Amino acid sequence: CCNCYFITPNEPNLVVAGGSLLRIFRYVPMQEDGQIRHRLEQVLSCNLYGIISSIVPAKYPGNRRHSLLVAVGEAQLAVVDYDPSSHCFKTRMLYNYEQDDQRQMFLQQTFLPQVRVDSENRSAAMLIYGSRLVVVPLIKPAKNSTDSTHHSYVVDLKKLDEKVNNVKDFQFLHGYCEPTIMLLYEPLRTWPGRVAVRRDTCSIVAIALNIRDKVHPIIWSQNNLPFDSLYALPVPKPTGGVLIFAANSLLYLNQSVPPFGVMLNSFSSSDDRLFLFRNRATTCSL
């Protein structure tokens, strides 16, 4: 689910996806026991031809309402708008990358597609098949234009760095002149039964997206992160950087400052050789 201005530019909506069903709700204020509360009222719904695996809002230049980027199936992406004249969904664009050359010999779906949008609405990206990135510029093409900067394209992450594989999560970072993506990946997998042999197996890499020239240099990387790293959360400006959520620890990484982390429980006390846990006196509270 996500929150955005899909129906009108002045009233927020709650977007909920379950299975193949996409539903739009609006918040209706009501007074109860002297307090103003809100209830949800469904205003729109639609069944898609596939299971929805990821959904994020995005705003194209010149639009006051948000569009919805919906990942369906193995590697399909639909950009959906609201049509006020017919009060229904309207498809802006459809992308399909379920070709054999993208599957990389996968016989069944092992990685669900994930969609992310740049905080400044410059570009969107969808991760498919664990190591391929579909870049979708959020640019309105001019009529009869031959410029290809608004066309989507696929980036093979292994060609940027052969170690990039088994991507767990990726996010757009804040505070960069160009859209910059941070990838959290595990090149050589391990599991709790092998932590004595292989423990700090996760890494991150930051890639700048030069959409016009289709050049993607690696500007920042960090290795030897805990094997149980799960998710990444970009930190807004002016702080910047990214938070890495692991099962037993919380890490903060930034290109301009040394990495730092805190332990969340006693299970992470065995990571004595991990340089991220220098300050043992740090406490973390919610």
Side-chain angles (χ1 to χ4, degrees):
C1 64
C2 61
N3 195 69
C4 64
Y5 294 88
F6 184 71
I7 302 296
T8 64
N10 302 318
E11 184 181 80
N13 299 110
L14 177 65
V15 182
V16 179
S20 61
L21 181 62
L22 180 62
R23 295 183 293 174
I24 310 296
F25 296 87
R26 72 184 185 97
Y27 301 96
V28 179
M30 55 183 301
Q31 193 165 0
E32 182 178 341
D33 298 331
Q35 297 180 351
I36 297 179
R37 303 179 183 273
H38 291 82
R39 63 180 179 87
L40 294 176
E41 180 181 285
Q42 180 174 313
V43 294
L44 203 58
S45 66
C46 179
N47 273 300
L48 305 183
Y49 292 97
I51 302 300
I52 301 172
S53 58
S54 181
I55 181 169
V56 293
K59 186 176 291 186
Y60 278 80
N63 286 11
R64 299 182 60 191
R65 298 192 303 266
H66 284 95
S67 301
L68 295 178
L69 277 67
V70 185
V72 181
E74 293 183 10
Q76 299 179 23
L77 180 66
V79 182
V80 181
D81 289 336
Y82 171 70
D83 187 4
S85 60
S86 59
H87 186 60
C88 64
F89 293 99
K90 179 181 179 181
T91 303
R92 176 191 289 262
M93 292 182 183
L94 286 173
Y95 304 94
N96 185 6
Y97 289 95
E98 293 183 355
Q99 294 84 7
D100 292 338
D101 58 337
Q102 306 293 346
R103 292 177 183 270
Q104 308 174 82
M105 304 303 292
F106 281 106
L107 298 180
Q108 61 182 359
Q109 185 176 5
T110 56
F111 296 95
L112 293 176
Q114 305 176 46
V115 184
R116 303 288 185 268
V117 175
D118 177 41
S119 60
E120 299 182 19
N121 290 290
R122 295 172 293 185
S123 174
M126 179 174 67
L127 180 69
I128 59 175
Y129 302 118
S131 62
R132 293 182 183 264
L133 197 68
V134 179
V135 179
V136 182
L138 299 181
I139 302 174
K140 274 188 174 181
K143 292 184 177 180
N144 302 324
S145 174
T146 59
D147 189 3
S148 63
T149 56
H150 61 274
H151 294 164
S152 65
Y153 60 94
V154 179
V155 178
D156 189 353
L157 300 177
K158 290 184 178 180
K159 292 183 179 180
L160 303 179
D161 189 341
E162 60 182 8
K163 295 181 180 180
V164 177
N165 195 18
N166 303 318
V167 178
K168 293 186 173 183
D169 194 12
F170 77 104
Q171 297 288 344
F172 280 92
L173 299 179
H174 297 266
Y176 288 85
C177 297
E178 293 181 331
T180 302
I181 289 180
M182 192 282 306
L183 301 166
L184 173 64
Y185 66 98
E186 188 177 14
L188 295 175
R189 288 180 170 178
T190 187
W191 63 294
R194 282 183 55 86
V195 293
V197 179
R198 182 180 293 138
R199 178 170 51 189
D200 305 328
T201 55
C202 288
S203 304
I204 67 165
V205 62
I207 302 172
L209 301 181
N210 188 333
I211 299 176
R212 179 171 295 276
D213 298 329
K214 294 182 174 55
V215 179
H216 315 100
I218 295 177
I219 60 176
W220 173 39
S221 63
Q222 182 71 56
N223 300 320
N224 300 325
L225 300 180
F227 77 96
D228 56 358
S229 300
L230 301 173
Y231 306 104
L233 177 66
V235 180
K237 296 184 295 185
T239 305
V242 64
L243 285 173
I244 304 296
F245 292 87
N248 305 311
S249 56
L250 178 64
L251 317 175
Y252 174 72
L253 306 175
N254 197 314
Q255 184 179 6
S256 57
V257 299
F260 181 78
V262 294
M263 298 180 296
L264 301 180
N265 51 45
S266 60
F267 293 102
S268 58
S269 60
S270 61
D271 297 333
D272 293 325
R273 67 183 180 87
L274 196 60
F275 63 90
L276 295 175
F277 302 121
R278 292 175 181 173
N279 191 351
R280 299 287 181 172
T282 302
T283 59
C284 182
S285 61
L286 299 177

